[in-house]
Amino acid sequence: MQQSFSVSDQPLKVFLCHGSEDKPTVRELYYRLLASGVKPWLDEENLLPGQDWRYEIAKAVRESNIVIVCLSRTSVSKAGFVQKEIKYALDVADEKPEGSIFLIPARLEECSLPDRLSGRQWVDIFQKNGFERLLKSLQTYIGQ
């Protein structure tokens, strides 16, 4: 039986924050979440030609129920827009009630967590039960 991932009769909206070098792994995560009944947001699937991508990404983060920050050895050490996305997601998270789940660090491989995310429990997507643990966290959000 498939779990129900809906909030107020709407599918749970999950933004996938990631570096471009992690696109293949994040794309796989996108499709697994979609198959689980979640409404994930991924730039290559949701951005349309001609849209202002910076505006649309910020809007998607604000409108999401959850932001999953996908981390790899490369993404945690590179400068660029992914760092801005993480900072923006943290700013939005600061507006949420204390103790609520909004931002979930998801390690795609063994890597260190950036200092700014170190206070949050992460999930290791690459581990055997990682995806199931992520789904459990999403289910917990629904029960909040």
Side-chain angles (χ1 to χ4, degrees):
M1 184 174 125
Q2 184 173 338
Q3 297 178 19
S4 172
F5 289 101
S6 60
V7 178
S8 303
D9 295 325
Q10 297 294 316
L12 185 70
K13 296 180 202 170
V14 174
F15 181 85
L16 297 173
C17 175
H18 64 286
S20 58
E21 65 284 341
D22 297 322
K23 188 73 72 181
T25 307
V26 175
R27 188 180 302 119
E28 182 181 319
L29 177 59
Y30 171 89
Y31 286 115
R32 289 184 77 185
L33 288 168
L34 197 61
S36 297
V38 173
K39 185 177 180 182
W41 196 100
L42 181 63
D43 54 1
E44 71 179 21
E45 294 288 337
N46 297 92
L47 280 176
L48 299 173
Q51 286 185 314
D52 178 338
W53 58 270
R54 284 186 175 104
Y55 172 80
E56 293 300 326
I57 287 172
K59 178 180 167 192
V61 168
R62 278 192 317 275
E63 292 177 354
S64 291
N65 303 108
I66 299 277
V67 173
I68 298 174
V69 179
C70 300
L71 302 166
S72 69
R73 286 184 290 272
T74 306
S75 70
V76 298
S77 62
K78 85 173 216 179
F81 195 74
V82 68
Q83 301 301 332
K84 275 190 172 183
E85 278 184 20
I86 293 170
K87 183 180 180 312
Y88 186 71
L90 284 164
D91 288 344
V92 174
D94 283 344
E95 299 171 13
K96 304 294 181 185
E98 191 168 335
S100 64
I101 294 174
F102 174 71
L103 192 145
I104 302 171
R107 297 191 322 161
L108 305 176
E109 61 187 3
E110 282 288 343
C111 63
S112 59
L113 234 57
D115 286 344
R116 62 175 105 179
L117 296 176
S118 63
R120 298 177 189 275
Q121 183 59 44
W122 66 90
V123 62
D124 287 335
I125 295 295
F126 61 93
Q127 296 288 349
K128 183 179 175 185
N129 68 340
F131 185 73
E132 289 72 25
R133 286 183 45 79
L134 176 62
L135 292 182
K136 186 175 182 178
S137 188
L138 299 180
Q139 196 65 47
T140 299
Y141 168 85
I142 291 169
Q144 292 181 144

